[in-house]
Amino acid sequence: MSTQNRNPRTGPAGATAAAGRHHGLLSTAVRNVGIVLDTAARVIFLGRDGVRY
């Protein structure tokens, strides 16, 4: 009797990028600017308690 891997993985488990989903430099920059603006809005409207460290 041999042991066989029934669910072979093609890549690492977890929240990894899907194949063929590499974004360009512009979309990455736009996403990062959105994150910064969101964080700044949370600090302004909610104070320091609105941001988790």
Side-chain angles (χ1 to χ4, degrees):
M1 184 173 185
S2 65
T3 59
Q4 198 173 18
N5 190 1
R6 295 180 187 233
N7 290 328
R9 294 181 188 253
T10 57
T16 57
R21 233 184 125 190
H22 297 285
H23 295 289
L25 183 63
L26 180 61
S27 60
T28 302
V30 169
R31 182 175 185 269
N32 289 338
V33 168
I35 292 170
V36 169
L37 290 177
D38 178 61
T39 304
R42 288 173 190 258
V43 170
I44 291 170
F45 293 116
L46 300 175
R48 305 253 331 174
D49 294 332
V51 180
R52 293 184 182 176
Y53 294 104

